[in-house]
Coordinates of all heavy atoms in Angstrom, one line a residue:
M207 N 23.2 103.9 -21.5 CA 21.9 103.3 -21.8 C 22.3 102.0 -22.5 O 23.0 102.0 -23.5 CB 21.0 104.1 -22.6 CG 19.6 103.7 -22.7 SD 18.7 104.8 -23.8 CE 18.9 106.4 -22.9
D214 N 11.3 106.3 -20.3 CA 11.0 107.3 -21.3 C 12.3 107.7 -22.0 O 12.2 108.1 -23.1 CB 10.4 108.5 -20.6 CG 9.0 108.2 -20.0 OD1 8.3 107.4 -20.7 OD2 8.6 108.7 -18.9
D215 N 13.4 107.8 -21.3 CA 14.6 108.2 -21.9 C 15.0 107.2 -23.0 O 15.5 107.6 -24.1 CB 15.8 108.3 -20.9 CG 15.9 107.2 -20.0 OD1 15.1 106.3 -20.0 OD2 17.0 107.0 -19.3
V216 N 14.8 105.9 -22.8 CA 15.0 104.9 -23.9 C 14.2 105.2 -25.1 O 14.6 105.1 -26.2 CB 14.8 103.5 -23.3 CG1 15.0 102.4 -24.4 CG2 15.8 103.2 -22.2
K217 N 12.9 105.4 -24.8 CA 11.9 105.7 -25.9 C 12.4 106.9 -26.7 O 12.3 106.9 -27.9 CB 10.5 105.9 -25.3 CG 9.4 106.4 -26.3 CD 9.1 105.2 -27.2 CE 7.8 105.4 -28.0 NZ 7.7 106.7 -28.6
E218 N 12.9 107.9 -26.0 CA 13.3 109.1 -26.7 C 14.5 108.8 -27.7 O 14.6 109.2 -28.8 CB 13.8 110.2 -25.8 CG 12.6 110.9 -25.0 CD 11.7 111.7 -25.8 OE1 12.1 112.2 -26.9 OE2 10.5 111.8 -25.5
V219 N 15.5 108.0 -27.3 CA 16.6 107.6 -28.1 C 16.0 106.7 -29.3 O 16.6 106.9 -30.4 CB 17.6 106.8 -27.3 CG1 18.6 106.0 -28.1 CG2 18.3 107.7 -26.3
Q220 N 15.1 105.8 -29.0 CA 14.6 105.0 -30.0 C 13.8 105.9 -31.1 O 14.0 105.7 -32.3 CB 13.6 104.0 -29.5 CG 14.3 102.9 -28.7 CD 13.3 102.0 -28.0 OE1 12.2 102.4 -27.6 NE2 13.7 100.7 -27.8
D221 N 13.2 106.9 -30.6 CA 12.5 107.8 -31.5 C 13.5 108.5 -32.5 O 13.3 108.6 -33.7 CB 11.7 108.9 -30.8 CG 10.5 108.3 -30.2 OD1 10.0 107.2 -30.6 OD2 9.8 109.0 -29.3
R222 N 14.6 108.9 -31.9 CA 15.6 109.6 -32.7 C 16.3 108.6 -33.7 O 16.6 109.0 -34.8 CB 16.7 110.2 -31.7 CG 17.7 111.1 -32.4 CD 17.2 112.2 -33.1 NE 18.2 113.0 -33.9 CZ 18.1 113.5 -35.1 NH1 16.9 113.2 -35.7 NH2 19.0 114.1 -35.7
L223 N 16.6 107.4 -33.2 CA 17.1 106.4 -34.2 C 16.2 106.1 -35.3 O 16.6 105.9 -36.5 CB 17.4 105.2 -33.4 CG 18.6 105.2 -32.4 CD1 18.6 103.9 -31.5 CD2 19.9 105.2 -33.2
Y224 N 14.9 106.2 -35.0 CA 13.9 106.0 -36.1 C 13.9 107.2 -37.1 O 13.9 107.0 -38.3 CB 12.5 105.9 -35.5 CG 11.4 106.1 -36.5 CD1 11.1 105.1 -37.4 CD2 10.6 107.2 -36.4 CE1 10.1 105.3 -38.4 CE2 9.6 107.4 -37.4 CZ 9.3 106.4 -38.3 OH 8.3 106.6 -39.2
E225 N 14.0 108.4 -36.5 CA 14.0 109.6 -37.3 C 15.2 109.6 -38.3 O 15.1 110.0 -39.5 CB 14.2 110.9 -36.5 CG 12.9 111.2 -35.7 CD 13.1 112.4 -34.8 OE1 14.2 112.9 -34.7 OE2 12.2 112.7 -34.1
L229 N 16.3 102.5 -37.0 CA 15.4 101.7 -36.2 C 14.0 101.7 -36.8 O 13.6 102.8 -37.2 CB 15.4 102.0 -34.7 CG 14.7 101.1 -33.8 CD1 15.5 99.9 -33.6 CD2 14.5 101.8 -32.4
F238 N 15.1 98.7 -24.1 CA 16.4 98.7 -24.8 C 16.7 97.2 -25.0 O 17.2 96.4 -24.1 CB 17.5 99.3 -24.1 CG 18.7 99.6 -24.8 CD1 19.1 101.0 -25.0 CD2 19.5 98.7 -25.5 CE1 20.3 101.4 -25.8 CE2 20.6 99.0 -26.3 CZ 21.0 100.3 -26.4
T242 N 17.5 97.4 -30.6 CA 18.0 98.9 -30.3 C 19.5 98.9 -30.3 O 20.2 99.8 -30.8 CB 17.4 99.3 -29.0 OG1 16.0 99.3 -29.1 CG2 17.8 100.7 -28.7
V246 N 22.0 101.1 -32.6 CA 23.0 102.0 -32.0 C 24.4 101.7 -32.5 O 25.1 102.6 -32.8 CB 23.1 101.8 -30.4 CG1 24.2 102.6 -29.8 CG2 21.7 102.3 -29.8
V261 N 24.5 103.6 -25.3 CA 24.3 105.1 -25.5 C 24.9 105.8 -24.3 O 24.3 105.9 -23.3 CB 22.9 105.4 -25.7 CG1 22.7 106.9 -25.9 CG2 22.3 104.6 -26.9
T265 N 27.6 109.4 -27.6 CA 26.6 108.9 -28.6 C 25.3 109.8 -28.5 O 24.7 110.1 -29.5 CB 26.3 107.5 -28.3 OG1 27.5 106.7 -28.5 CG2 25.2 106.9 -29.3
L266 N 24.9 110.1 -27.3 CA 23.7 110.9 -27.2 C 23.8 112.2 -27.8 O 22.9 112.7 -28.5 CB 23.3 111.1 -25.7 CG 22.0 111.6 -25.4 CD1 20.8 110.7 -25.9 CD2 21.8 111.8 -23.8
L269 N 23.7 112.1 -31.6 CA 22.4 111.8 -32.1 C 21.7 113.2 -32.5 O 20.8 113.2 -33.5 CB 21.5 111.0 -31.1 CG 21.7 109.5 -31.0 CD1 21.1 109.0 -29.8 CD2 21.2 108.8 -32.3
Y270 N 21.9 114.2 -31.8 CA 21.2 115.5 -32.0 C 22.1 116.6 -32.6 O 21.7 117.7 -32.7 CB 20.7 116.0 -30.6 CG 19.5 115.1 -30.1 CD1 19.8 114.1 -29.1 CD2 18.3 115.3 -30.5 CE1 18.8 113.3 -28.6 CE2 17.3 114.4 -30.0 CZ 17.5 113.4 -29.1 OH 16.5 112.7 -28.6

Side-chain angles (χ1 to χ4, degrees):
M207 197 181 296
D214 294 325
D215 52 345
V216 175
K217 178 65 163 54
E218 291 293 333
V219 166
Q220 290 173 331
D221 286 346
R222 184 62 183 137
L223 288 168
Y224 165 71
E225 290 175 0
L229 190 68
F238 199 118
T242 302
V246 171
V261 182
T265 299
L266 188 62
L269 279 167
Y270 292 97

